[in-house]
Amino acid sequence: MATTVADVMVATLKASGVRRVYGIPGDSLNGFTDALRRAGEITWEHVRHEEAAAFAAAGEAGLTGELAVCAASCGPGNLHLINGLYDANRSRVPVLAIASHIPEDEIGSQYFQETHPQNLFQECSVYCELVSEPEQMPRVLQIAMRTALARSGVGVVVIPGNVFFADSPVSAKAVPIRPATSVIRPDENSLAAAADVLNSAHRITILAGAGCAGAHQQLIELAGALQAPVLHAFRGKEFVEYDNRFDVGMTGLIGFSSGYRAMEHCDTLVMLGTDFPYRPFYPYGVPVIQIDVRGEQIGRRVPVDVPLVGTVKDTIDALLPLIAAKTDSAHLDRMTAHYRRARTRLDRLADERRGRSPLHPQAVAAAIDRLAADDAVFTADVGTPCIWAARYLRMNGRRRLIGSFNRGSMANALPQAMGAQASQPGRQVVALSGDGGVAMLLGELITLRQQQLPVKVVVFNNGALSFVELEMKAAGIVTYGTDLDNPDFAEIARATGLFGARVEKAGELDDALRAAFGHDGPALVDVRTDRHELSLPPKLTYGEIKGFTLYATRTILSGDGTELVDLAKSNLRDLEIE
Ligand SMILES: Cc1ncc(C[n+]2csc(CCOP(=O)(O)OP(=O)(O)O)c2C)c(N)n1
Ligand SMILES: [Mg+2]
């Protein structure tokens, strides 16, 4: 049998170390899936919605740092990939999407299922090309893979179904595409300019992001030399927080006060591998030094005085010898003391409320943290699960935390957990899901069973789109359209063939989590949590404060005073957090 274009594509993937492809087949993709079947080795990870395929690939790539692959059939099939691909691209993880297309000779005729995928995927990719000639393959595939790896994003190959079946040119070779490693750091002048600023500063604060991956030692050394408190953006948490006596917590809308204060009180800010987006949280009028391997990122959020283009690791290595170590630790001591107070308060919220019912989500997250494995992979849904993950999951350099932190899409936790689990089958993977989030891609519970992925799903079942309620309250709007009338998700899990447990009272929580975590297969724990738990950002602007008051007034006017009383009862303690 002649070698087809699809055969060469599969051989290229195989040679490059790809071990699985997530997706759903369909006529235009059949040439590819058939080549996978014939070649063996690469597994077909069958999902129930293509969005989950893309999120799973993003989860795998986020965990392993290696290229992950998803595929979908033409029109609606590959359109379903799009939200997960946006997530991968915004999280800057290497993902290849094979988007099959209608037959080449039908393009432009409004044929059945016709779209223009190379336009649709443009914005969520670093490379997106249409293949119309067998001779383009495997070169276009290789370029897509190389670009995805080199630019840490999504490469899309759009390919009409008939081209998969075409004979491959004899010259076509399956060349392995592997990531390259480099040392990337600024030149001497740039480093000297940064050292000048740092050597004359007295209260330096470091804002650290996901670009600190692999640079923990350098981060700690820099913080030590500068006597600088280190706060993190959400994606930096897993790389920054552990074994770090300079840690002052997280900033941002779901962060807490000490992170905010550390930026507010500095006289120089050093940004390390972060694209923290919320401008009102940045300090005003102080010199800023920003290190980022992507030069185009620098200065996007705050004016930057010294741009340093390089990896955090290589740049700090080069910068440290130029820095005169500081001895005055007043700023550091003040900020870390503030952090300890904030941390104690947050821990108290998780502890003292453990006896209550419905459960307080802090206690649920703290229990997950206590009972999960030392090297667990956590995924957290956008919505309040993100808040509880940020505040109560303790990182240690071995645990991982994956979310839709830049894209901010709901329903990410379950499919990202699928990708994490498929790529590392022996590892404990725990999804912290919202009830809204889990319902959005509920069909993927079936994937857990079919693909035998022993993911542990913990549903924060608060009967609401609670995070949106919080936003509405902050904006002075009466909550509307946020009720969720849920079934018992544990029963659904059991009907699907998973282990399922429902937790109504705090006393049942630990046993249910232990049983789920110890279960040799997929498991779901549905925990009824308090809907009115509120997490206020550390800095409320005047408008937001006014909004909150307005919310109170309008809620009373709308005749729903009980809700306000519940809210106040639930949150009296939180409101005390400065
Ligand atoms: C796909 C998508 N739709 C809508 C939103 C807006 N949104 C952000 S959080 C949220 C609520 C999430 O609800 P749930 O999963 O129940 O979590 P909760 O906040 O209640 O804990 C919504 C609707 C979004 N981010 N993504
Ligand atoms: Mg909810």
Side-chain angles (χ1 to χ4, degrees):
M1 188 174 163
T3 304
T4 63
V5 165
D7 290 329
V8 175
M9 290 176 70
V10 171
T12 303
L13 296 177
K14 236 189 202 181
S16 308
V18 170
R19 290 288 162 263
R20 63 198 64 77
V21 178
Y22 304 91
I24 297 181
D27 60 352
S28 53
L29 191 64
N30 293 348
F32 178 74
T33 45
D34 191 52
L36 275 181
R37 180 190 61 78
R38 281 185 279 109
E41 270 184 59
I42 295 182
T43 59
W44 179 250
E45 301 287 336
H46 190 108
V47 298
R48 298 299 175 124
H49 189 301
E50 292 88 348
E51 179 172 335
F55 265 124
E60 173 179 337
L63 179 63
T64 64
E66 289 166 17
L67 186 77
V69 184
C70 57
S73 61
C74 69
N78 63 47
L79 199 65
H80 267 185
L81 289 175
I82 212 157
N83 192 42
L85 292 184
Y86 264 91
D87 183 74
N89 208 47
R90 287 302 311 273
S91 294
R92 298 186 307 279
V93 293
V95 165
L96 170 74
I98 296 170
S100 70
H101 197 16
I102 60 169
E104 211 193 338
D105 58 353
E106 297 291 354
I107 292 175
S109 71
Q110 298 228 339
Y111 186 66
F112 176 64
Q113 296 186 324
E114 181 167 5
T115 60
H116 292 90
Q118 66 276 37
N119 297 344
L120 289 167
F121 291 116
Q122 204 58 245
E123 197 184 295
C124 63
S125 63
V126 290
Y127 181 86
C128 177
E129 285 297 340
L130 170 69
V131 173
S132 35
E133 292 291 328
E135 285 70 23
Q136 286 174 276
M137 274 298 177
R139 198 154 65 106
V140 167
L141 175 65
Q142 290 165 359
I143 298 170
M145 293 168 74
R146 178 83 68 202
T147 312
L149 284 166
R151 294 190 50 205
S152 291
V154 173
V156 184
V157 174
V158 178
I159 176 162
N162 58 300
V163 179
F164 283 125
F165 290 104
D167 286 349
S168 184
V170 271
S171 58
K173 291 262 168 335
V175 179
I177 305 295
R178 298 274 188 192
T181 50
S182 330
V183 172
I184 307 173
R185 68 167 187 80
D187 67 5
E188 305 303 332
N189 287 345
S190 309
L191 292 168
D196 277 353
V197 174
L198 294 172
N199 287 336
S200 57
H202 301 285
R203 298 188 312 279
I204 301 170
T205 290
I206 295 176
L207 169 63
C212 292
H216 191 265
Q217 186 198 328
Q218 282 79 3
L219 168 69
I220 300 298
E221 282 175 21
L222 182 69
L226 300 175
Q227 292 294 296
V230 177
L231 69 140
H232 57 265
F234 200 173
R235 275 193 78 199
K237 176 181 164 76
E238 56 173 332
F239 309 115
V240 171
E241 190 183 65
Y242 68 98
D243 294 344
N244 181 353
R245 69 182 180 89
F246 307 96
D247 180 29
V248 293
M250 192 169 110
T251 187
L253 291 174
I254 63 172
F256 46 98
S257 52
S258 53
Y260 177 73
R261 296 278 177 261
M263 278 220 274
E264 189 185 26
H265 292 292
C266 72
D267 70 359
T268 297
L269 178 69
V270 179
M271 295 170 65
L272 301 180
T274 176
D275 188 25
F276 175 70
Y278 301 110
R279 288 187 290 149
F281 288 81
Y282 281 95
Y284 179 75
V286 302
V288 177
I289 297 169
Q290 183 173 2
I291 301 178
D292 203 299
V293 75
R294 298 167 301 141
E296 73 275 14
Q297 279 306 122
I298 292 180
R300 285 195 181 202
R301 312 297 173 196
V302 67
V304 166
D305 300 81
V306 186
L308 295 179
V309 179
T311 65
V312 172
K313 183 174 183 290
D314 300 331
T315 305
I316 295 180
D317 277 341
L319 183 61
L320 270 173
L322 308 181
I323 290 176
K326 296 192 188 299
T327 49
D328 178 0
S329 62
H331 175 58
L332 173 66
D333 295 343
R334 209 169 136 222
M335 293 306 139
T336 48
H338 198 303
Y339 172 59
R340 277 194 297 278
R341 286 197 298 278
R343 186 68 260 172
T344 307
R345 256 182 247 132
L346 287 173
D347 290 341
R348 218 186 295 138
L349 285 176
D351 266 0
E352 286 176 5
R353 299 174 175 210
R354 289 183 62 199
R356 298 220 212 142
S357 179
L359 279 77
H360 282 262
Q362 287 98 328
V364 181
I368 293 171
D369 174 65
R370 231 178 333 103
L371 299 172
D374 191 44
D375 67 343
V377 179
F378 300 102
T379 60
D381 258 345
V382 164
T384 66
C386 259
I387 305 177
W388 316 131
R391 293 182 174 179
Y392 295 103
L393 296 183
R394 281 170 301 179
M395 298 290 113
N396 55 13
R398 294 173 298 283
R399 285 180 164 184
R400 295 293 313 274
L401 175 60
I402 291 169
S404 181
F405 299 140
N406 297 65
R407 169 75 173 151
S409 172
M410 277 173 77
N412 58 292
L414 173 55
Q416 285 174 333
M418 285 160 33
Q421 190 77 81
S423 59
Q424 300 195 351
R427 205 160 167 182
Q428 185 181 78
V429 180
V430 183
L432 280 67
S433 295
D435 47 347
V438 82
M440 201 174 253
L441 284 175
L442 194 65
E444 300 311 320
L445 293 180
I446 308 173
T447 302
L448 294 187
R449 191 195 55 178
Q450 179 165 339
Q451 297 302 112
Q452 299 186 359
L453 297 169
V455 170
K456 317 303 176 198
V457 182
V458 182
V459 182
F460 287 70
N461 188 351
N462 50 23
L465 302 171
S466 163
F467 194 84
V468 176
E469 292 191 333
L470 173 60
E471 291 167 346
M472 289 174 171
K473 286 163 194 168
I477 301 168
V478 175
T479 55
Y480 179 70
T482 52
D483 285 347
L484 297 176
D485 183 2
N486 289 319
D488 180 337
F489 289 111
E491 265 187 45
I492 290 182
R494 286 192 289 271
T496 310
L498 274 57
F499 170 93
R502 168 101 160 164
V503 174
E504 307 263 356
K505 299 193 192 83
E508 303 160 358
L509 178 64
D510 281 18
D511 284 348
L513 288 178
R514 275 202 197 94
F517 292 174
H519 180 68
D520 182 23
L524 181 146
V525 181
D526 178 356
V527 190
R528 258 196 72 224
T529 53
D530 194 338
R531 171 179 188 160
H532 295 292
E533 205 68 34
L534 175 68
S535 4
L536 289 176
K539 183 192 190 189
L540 283 179
T541 62
Y542 173 68
E544 283 164 335
I545 294 168
K546 207 171 72 179
F548 194 75
T549 319
L550 256 180
Y551 163 75
T553 317
R554 284 192 204 173
T555 308
I556 292 165
L557 286 179
S558 75
D560 196 6
T562 48
E563 195 193 345
L564 190 69
V565 174
D566 286 350
L567 182 79
K569 271 193 204 152
S570 294
N571 295 291
L572 237 46
R573 298 298 304 272
D574 298 49
L575 289 166
E576 283 171 23
I577 295 176
E578 314 112 70

mmCIF file with all atom_site columns, all heavy atoms in Angstrom, residues 225-242:
data_model
loop_
_atom_site.group_PDB
_atom_site.id
_atom_site.type_symbol
_atom_site.label_atom_id
_atom_site.label_alt_id
_atom_site.label_comp_id
_atom_site.label_asym_id
_atom_site.label_entity_id
_atom_site.label_seq_id
_atom_site.pdbx_PDB_ins_code
_atom_site.Cartn_x
_atom_site.Cartn_y
_atom_site.Cartn_z
_atom_site.occupancy
_atom_site.B_iso_or_equiv
_atom_site.pdbx_formal_charge
_atom_site.auth_seq_id
_atom_site.auth_comp_id
_atom_site.auth_asym_id
_atom_site.auth_atom_id
_atom_site.pdbx_PDB_model_num
ATOM 1   N N   . ALA A 1 225 ? 19.405 38.899 47.855 1.00 0.00 ? 225 ALA A N   1
ATOM 2   C CA  . ALA A 1 225 ? 20.356 39.990 47.599 1.00 0.00 ? 225 ALA A CA  1
ATOM 3   C C   . ALA A 1 225 ? 19.670 41.349 47.701 1.00 0.00 ? 225 ALA A C   1
ATOM 4   O O   . ALA A 1 225 ? 20.270 42.326 48.143 1.00 0.00 ? 225 ALA A O   1
ATOM 5   C CB  . ALA A 1 225 ? 20.985 39.814 46.224 1.00 0.00 ? 225 ALA A CB  1
ATOM 6   N N   . LEU A 1 226 ? 18.405 41.398 47.321 1.00 0.00 ? 226 LEU A N   1
ATOM 7   C CA  . LEU A 1 226 ? 17.682 42.686 47.313 1.00 0.00 ? 226 LEU A CA  1
ATOM 8   C C   . LEU A 1 226 ? 16.872 42.898 48.589 1.00 0.00 ? 226 LEU A C   1
ATOM 9   O O   . LEU A 1 226 ? 16.264 43.951 48.764 1.00 0.00 ? 226 LEU A O   1
ATOM 10  C CB  . LEU A 1 226 ? 16.739 42.749 46.104 1.00 0.00 ? 226 LEU A CB  1
ATOM 11  C CG  . LEU A 1 226 ? 17.382 42.633 44.715 1.00 0.00 ? 226 LEU A CG  1
ATOM 12  C CD1 . LEU A 1 226 ? 16.308 42.596 43.632 1.00 0.00 ? 226 LEU A CD1 1
ATOM 13  C CD2 . LEU A 1 226 ? 18.341 43.792 44.481 1.00 0.00 ? 226 LEU A CD2 1
ATOM 14  N N   . GLN A 1 227 ? 16.831 41.874 49.456 1.00 0.00 ? 227 GLN A N   1
ATOM 15  C CA  . GLN A 1 227 ? 15.950 41.913 50.634 1.00 0.00 ? 227 GLN A CA  1
ATOM 16  C C   . GLN A 1 227 ? 14.536 42.312 50.201 1.00 0.00 ? 227 GLN A C   1
ATOM 17  O O   . GLN A 1 227 ? 13.895 43.197 50.791 1.00 0.00 ? 227 GLN A O   1
ATOM 18  C CB  . GLN A 1 227 ? 16.493 42.896 51.679 1.00 0.00 ? 227 GLN A CB  1
ATOM 19  C CG  . GLN A 1 227 ? 17.795 42.422 52.311 1.00 0.00 ? 227 GLN A CG  1
ATOM 20  C CD  . GLN A 1 227 ? 17.597 41.154 53.147 1.00 0.00 ? 227 GLN A CD  1
ATOM 21  O OE1 . GLN A 1 227 ? 16.892 41.153 54.138 1.00 0.00 ? 227 GLN A OE1 1
ATOM 22  N NE2 . GLN A 1 227 ? 18.214 40.039 52.735 1.00 0.00 ? 227 GLN A NE2 1
ATOM 23  N N   . ALA A 1 228 ? 14.074 41.627 49.189 1.00 0.00 ? 228 ALA A N   1
ATOM 24  C CA  . ALA A 1 228 ? 12.810 42.016 48.555 1.00 0.00 ? 228 ALA A CA  1
ATOM 25  C C   . ALA A 1 228 ? 11.698 41.010 48.834 1.00 0.00 ? 228 ALA A C   1
ATOM 26  O O   . ALA A 1 228 ? 11.893 39.805 48.651 1.00 0.00 ? 228 ALA A O   1
ATOM 27  C CB  . ALA A 1 228 ? 13.013 42.120 47.038 1.00 0.00 ? 228 ALA A CB  1
ATOM 28  N N   . PRO A 1 229 ? 10.533 41.471 49.275 1.00 0.00 ? 229 PRO A N   1
ATOM 29  C CA  . PRO A 1 229 ? 9.385  40.574 49.333 1.00 0.00 ? 229 PRO A CA  1
ATOM 30  C C   . PRO A 1 229 ? 8.991  40.140 47.917 1.00 0.00 ? 229 PRO A C   1
ATOM 31  O O   . PRO A 1 229 ? 9.163  40.898 46.967 1.00 0.00 ? 229 PRO A O   1
ATOM 32  C CB  . PRO A 1 229 ? 8.282  41.440 49.966 1.00 0.00 ? 229 PRO A CB  1
ATOM 33  C CG  . PRO A 1 229 ? 8.710  42.850 49.752 1.00 0.00 ? 229 PRO A CG  1
ATOM 34  C CD  . PRO A 1 229 ? 10.213 42.842 49.677 1.00 0.00 ? 229 PRO A CD  1
ATOM 35  N N   . VAL A 1 230 ? 8.479  38.894 47.814 1.00 0.00 ? 230 VAL A N   1
ATOM 36  C CA  . VAL A 1 230 ? 8.098  38.352 46.505 1.00 0.00 ? 230 VAL A CA  1
ATOM 37  C C   . VAL A 1 230 ? 6.606  38.053 46.526 1.00 0.00 ? 230 VAL A C   1
ATOM 38  O O   . VAL A 1 230 ? 6.139  37.252 47.338 1.00 0.00 ? 230 VAL A O   1
ATOM 39  C CB  . VAL A 1 230 ? 8.863  37.036 46.213 1.00 0.00 ? 230 VAL A CB  1
ATOM 40  C CG1 . VAL A 1 230 ? 8.405  36.441 44.884 1.00 0.00 ? 230 VAL A CG1 1
ATOM 41  C CG2 . VAL A 1 230 ? 10.364 37.271 46.207 1.00 0.00 ? 230 VAL A CG2 1
ATOM 42  N N   . LEU A 1 231 ? 5.872  38.721 45.670 1.00 0.00 ? 231 LEU A N   1
ATOM 43  C CA  . LEU A 1 231 ? 4.466  38.346 45.526 1.00 0.00 ? 231 LEU A CA  1
ATOM 44  C C   . LEU A 1 231 ? 4.292  37.721 44.153 1.00 0.00 ? 231 LEU A C   1
ATOM 45  O O   . LEU A 1 231 ? 5.153  37.844 43.288 1.00 0.00 ? 231 LEU A O   1
ATOM 46  C CB  . LEU A 1 231 ? 3.553  39.556 45.677 1.00 0.00 ? 231 LEU A CB  1
ATOM 47  C CG  . LEU A 1 231 ? 3.622  40.582 44.563 1.00 0.00 ? 231 LEU A CG  1
ATOM 48  C CD1 . LEU A 1 231 ? 2.233  41.101 44.242 1.00 0.00 ? 231 LEU A CD1 1
ATOM 49  C CD2 . LEU A 1 231 ? 4.523  41.727 44.968 1.00 0.00 ? 231 LEU A CD2 1
ATOM 50  N N   . HIS A 1 232 ? 3.190  37.000 43.989 1.00 0.00 ? 232 HIS A N   1
ATOM 51  C CA  . HIS A 1 232 ? 3.035  36.320 42.702 1.00 0.00 ? 232 HIS A CA  1
ATOM 52  C C   . HIS A 1 232 ? 1.682  36.580 42.071 1.00 0.00 ? 232 HIS A C   1
ATOM 53  O O   . HIS A 1 232 ? 0.708  36.894 42.742 1.00 0.00 ? 232 HIS A O   1
ATOM 54  C CB  . HIS A 1 232 ? 3.279  34.815 42.836 1.00 0.00 ? 232 HIS A CB  1
ATOM 55  C CG  . HIS A 1 232 ? 2.401  34.137 43.843 1.00 0.00 ? 232 HIS A CG  1
ATOM 56  N ND1 . HIS A 1 232 ? 2.793  33.914 45.136 1.00 0.00 ? 232 HIS A ND1 1
ATOM 57  C CD2 . HIS A 1 232 ? 1.162  33.621 43.742 1.00 0.00 ? 232 HIS A CD2 1
ATOM 58  C CE1 . HIS A 1 232 ? 1.836  33.299 45.792 1.00 0.00 ? 232 HIS A CE1 1
ATOM 59  N NE2 . HIS A 1 232 ? 0.821  33.111 44.975 1.00 0.00 ? 232 HIS A NE2 1
ATOM 60  N N   . ALA A 1 233 ? 1.687  36.458 40.754 1.00 0.00 ? 233 ALA A N   1
ATOM 61  C CA  . ALA A 1 233 ? 0.456  36.386 39.990 1.00 0.00 ? 233 ALA A CA  1
ATOM 62  C C   . ALA A 1 233 ? 0.021  34.916 40.018 1.00 0.00 ? 233 ALA A C   1
ATOM 63  O O   . ALA A 1 233 ? 0.818  34.034 40.345 1.00 0.00 ? 233 ALA A O   1
ATOM 64  C CB  . ALA A 1 233 ? 0.709  36.853 38.565 1.00 0.00 ? 233 ALA A CB  1
ATOM 65  N N   . PHE A 1 234 ? -1.236 34.650 39.688 1.00 0.00 ? 234 PHE A N   1
ATOM 66  C CA  . PHE A 1 234 ? -1.792 33.317 39.920 1.00 0.00 ? 234 PHE A CA  1
ATOM 67  C C   . PHE A 1 234 ? -0.952 32.204 39.275 1.00 0.00 ? 234 PHE A C   1
ATOM 68  O O   . PHE A 1 234 ? -0.638 31.195 39.897 1.00 0.00 ? 234 PHE A O   1
ATOM 69  C CB  . PHE A 1 234 ? -3.227 33.277 39.394 1.00 0.00 ? 234 PHE A CB  1
ATOM 70  C CG  . PHE A 1 234 ? -4.070 32.160 39.966 1.00 0.00 ? 234 PHE A CG  1
ATOM 71  C CD1 . PHE A 1 234 ? -5.418 32.099 39.678 1.00 0.00 ? 234 PHE A CD1 1
ATOM 72  C CD2 . PHE A 1 234 ? -3.526 31.194 40.804 1.00 0.00 ? 234 PHE A CD2 1
ATOM 73  C CE1 . PHE A 1 234 ? -6.213 31.094 40.199 1.00 0.00 ? 234 PHE A CE1 1
ATOM 74  C CE2 . PHE A 1 234 ? -4.303 30.180 41.337 1.00 0.00 ? 234 PHE A CE2 1
ATOM 75  C CZ  . PHE A 1 234 ? -5.646 30.125 41.023 1.00 0.00 ? 234 PHE A CZ  1
ATOM 76  N N   . ARG A 1 235 ? -0.566 32.401 38.029 1.00 0.00 ? 235 ARG A N   1
ATOM 77  C CA  . ARG A 1 235 ? 0.175  31.326 37.367 1.00 0.00 ? 235 ARG A CA  1
ATOM 78  C C   . ARG A 1 235 ? 1.578  31.158 37.940 1.00 0.00 ? 235 ARG A C   1
ATOM 79  O O   . ARG A 1 235 ? 2.236  30.153 37.693 1.00 0.00 ? 235 ARG A O   1
ATOM 80  C CB  . ARG A 1 235 ? 0.274  31.575 35.858 1.00 0.00 ? 235 ARG A CB  1
ATOM 81  C CG  . ARG A 1 235 ? -0.946 31.082 35.109 1.00 0.00 ? 235 ARG A CG  1
ATOM 82  C CD  . ARG A 1 235 ? -0.681 31.065 33.615 1.00 0.00 ? 235 ARG A CD  1
ATOM 83  N NE  . ARG A 1 235 ? 0.115  29.936 33.202 1.00 0.00 ? 235 ARG A NE  1
ATOM 84  C CZ  . ARG A 1 235 ? 0.783  29.879 32.054 1.00 0.00 ? 235 ARG A CZ  1
ATOM 85  N NH1 . ARG A 1 235 ? 0.769  30.906 31.234 1.00 0.00 ? 235 ARG A NH1 1
ATOM 86  N NH2 . ARG A 1 235 ? 1.459  28.800 31.729 1.00 0.00 ? 235 ARG A NH2 1
ATOM 87  N N   . GLY A 1 236 ? 2.022  32.126 38.677 1.00 0.00 ? 236 GLY A N   1
ATOM 88  C CA  . GLY A 1 236 ? 3.340  31.985 39.291 1.00 0.00 ? 236 GLY A CA  1
ATOM 89  C C   . GLY A 1 236 ? 3.303  31.153 40.568 1.00 0.00 ? 236 GLY A C   1
ATOM 90  O O   . GLY A 1 236 ? 4.332  30.661 41.019 1.00 0.00 ? 236 GLY A O   1
ATOM 91  N N   . LYS A 1 237 ? 2.111  30.994 41.142 1.00 0.00 ? 237 LYS A N   1
ATOM 92  C CA  . LYS A 1 237 ? 1.988  30.359 42.463 1.00 0.00 ? 237 LYS A CA  1
ATOM 93  C C   . LYS A 1 237 ? 2.806  29.072 42.593 1.00 0.00 ? 237 LYS A C   1
ATOM 94  O O   . LYS A 1 237 ? 3.565  28.904 43.523 1.00 0.00 ? 237 LYS A O   1
ATOM 95  C CB  . LYS A 1 237 ? 0.507  30.071 42.743 1.00 0.00 ? 237 LYS A CB  1
ATOM 96  C CG  . LYS A 1 237 ? 0.244  29.320 44.048 1.00 0.00 ? 237 LYS A CG  1
ATOM 97  C CD  . LYS A 1 237 ? -1.249 29.066 44.226 1.00 0.00 ? 237 LYS A CD  1
ATOM 98  C CE  . LYS A 1 237 ? -1.527 28.013 45.284 1.00 0.00 ? 237 LYS A CE  1
ATOM 99  N NZ  . LYS A 1 237 ? -1.370 28.498 46.657 1.00 0.00 ? 237 LYS A NZ  1
ATOM 100 N N   . GLU A 1 238 ? 2.631  28.170 41.637 1.00 0.00 ? 238 GLU A N   1
ATOM 101 C CA  . GLU A 1 238 ? 3.259  26.856 41.784 1.00 0.00 ? 238 GLU A CA  1
ATOM 102 C C   . GLU A 1 238 ? 4.785  26.916 41.702 1.00 0.00 ? 238 GLU A C   1
ATOM 103 O O   . GLU A 1 238 ? 5.465  26.014 42.157 1.00 0.00 ? 238 GLU A O   1
ATOM 104 C CB  . GLU A 1 238 ? 2.704  25.865 40.746 1.00 0.00 ? 238 GLU A CB  1
ATOM 105 C CG  . GLU A 1 238 ? 2.846  26.318 39.316 1.00 0.00 ? 238 GLU A CG  1
ATOM 106 C CD  . GLU A 1 238 ? 2.453  25.236 38.308 1.00 0.00 ? 238 GLU A CD  1
ATOM 107 O OE1 . GLU A 1 238 ? 2.566  24.039 38.614 1.00 0.00 ? 238 GLU A OE1 1
ATOM 108 O OE2 . GLU A 1 238 ? 2.041  25.595 37.186 1.00 0.00 ? 238 GLU A OE2 1
ATOM 109 N N   . PHE A 1 239 ? 5.319  27.981 41.116 1.00 0.00 ? 239 PHE A N   1
ATOM 110 C CA  . PHE A 1 239 ? 6.773  28.065 40.955 1.00 0.00 ? 239 PHE A CA  1
ATOM 111 C C   . PHE A 1 239 ? 7.427  28.982 41.989 1.00 0.00 ? 239 PHE A C   1
ATOM 112 O O   . PHE A 1 239 ? 8.645  29.002 42.118 1.00 0.00 ? 239 PHE A O   1
ATOM 113 C CB  . PHE A 1 239 ? 7.111  28.589 39.551 1.00 0.00 ? 239 PHE A CB  1
ATOM 114 C CG  . PHE A 1 239 ? 6.422  27.833 38.453 1.00 0.00 ? 239 PHE A CG  1
ATOM 115 C CD1 . PHE A 1 239 ? 5.487  28.447 37.641 1.00 0.00 ? 239 PHE A CD1 1
ATOM 116 C CD2 . PHE A 1 239 ? 6.700  26.481 38.256 1.00 0.00 ? 239 PHE A CD2 1
ATOM 117 C CE1 . PHE A 1 239 ? 4.838  27.742 36.635 1.00 0.00 ? 239 PHE A CE1 1
ATOM 118 C CE2 . PHE A 1 239 ? 6.070  25.766 37.260 1.00 0.00 ? 239 PHE A CE2 1
ATOM 119 C CZ  . PHE A 1 239 ? 5.127  26.400 36.440 1.00 0.00 ? 239 PHE A CZ  1
ATOM 120 N N   . VAL A 1 240 ? 6.626  29.754 42.692 1.00 0.00 ? 240 VAL A N   1
ATOM 121 C CA  . VAL A 1 240 ? 7.171  30.851 43.507 1.00 0.00 ? 240 VAL A CA  1
ATOM 122 C C   . VAL A 1 240 ? 6.979  30.632 45.010 1.00 0.00 ? 240 VAL A C   1
ATOM 123 O O   . VAL A 1 240 ? 7.862  30.913 45.812 1.00 0.00 ? 240 VAL A O   1
ATOM 124 C CB  . VAL A 1 240 ? 6.486  32.177 43.098 1.00 0.00 ? 240 VAL A CB  1
ATOM 125 C CG1 . VAL A 1 240 ? 6.831  33.311 44.045 1.00 0.00 ? 240 VAL A CG1 1
ATOM 126 C CG2 . VAL A 1 240 ? 6.861  32.545 41.662 1.00 0.00 ? 240 VAL A CG2 1
ATOM 127 N N   . GLU A 1 241 ? 5.819  30.082 45.369 1.00 0.00 ? 241 GLU A N   1
ATOM 128 C CA  . GLU A 1 241 ? 5.367  30.130 46.762 1.00 0.00 ? 241 GLU A CA  1
ATOM 129 C C   . GLU A 1 241 ? 6.179  29.236 47.722 1.00 0.00 ? 241 GLU A C   1
ATOM 130 O O   . GLU A 1 241 ? 6.381  29.592 48.880 1.00 0.00 ? 241 GLU A O   1
ATOM 131 C CB  . GLU A 1 241 ? 3.899  29.694 46.741 1.00 0.00 ? 241 GLU A CB  1
ATOM 132 C CG  . GLU A 1 241 ? 3.131  29.873 47.984 1.00 0.00 ? 241 GLU A CG  1
ATOM 133 C CD  . GLU A 1 241 ? 1.721  29.316 47.793 1.00 0.00 ? 241 GLU A CD  1
ATOM 134 O OE1 . GLU A 1 241 ? 1.581  28.090 47.594 1.00 0.00 ? 241 GLU A OE1 1
ATOM 135 O OE2 . GLU A 1 241 ? 0.778  30.096 47.843 1.00 0.00 ? 241 GLU A OE2 1
ATOM 136 N N   . TYR A 1 242 ? 6.623  28.082 47.233 1.00 0.00 ? 242 TYR A N   1
ATOM 137 C CA  . TYR A 1 242 ? 7.198  27.081 48.147 1.00 0.00 ? 242 TYR A CA  1
ATOM 138 C C   . TYR A 1 242 ? 8.643  27.443 48.536 1.00 0.00 ? 242 TYR A C   1
ATOM 139 O O   . TYR A 1 242 ? 9.343  28.133 47.790 1.00 0.00 ? 242 TYR A O   1
ATOM 140 C CB  . TYR A 1 242 ? 7.144  25.687 47.510 1.00 0.00 ? 242 TYR A CB  1
ATOM 141 C CG  . TYR A 1 242 ? 8.054  25.506 46.310 1.00 0.00 ? 242 TYR A CG  1
ATOM 142 C CD1 . TYR A 1 242 ? 9.294  24.900 46.439 1.00 0.00 ? 242 TYR A CD1 1
ATOM 143 C CD2 . TYR A 1 242 ? 7.669  25.944 45.051 1.00 0.00 ? 242 TYR A CD2 1
ATOM 144 C CE1 . TYR A 1 242 ? 10.134 24.735 45.342 1.00 0.00 ? 242 TYR A CE1 1
ATOM 145 C CE2 . TYR A 1 242 ? 8.502  25.792 43.958 1.00 0.00 ? 242 TYR A CE2 1
ATOM 146 C CZ  . TYR A 1 242 ? 9.740  25.187 44.110 1.00 0.00 ? 242 TYR A CZ  1
ATOM 147 O OH  . TYR A 1 242 ? 10.562 25.038 43.032 1.00 0.00 ? 242 TYR A OH  1
#
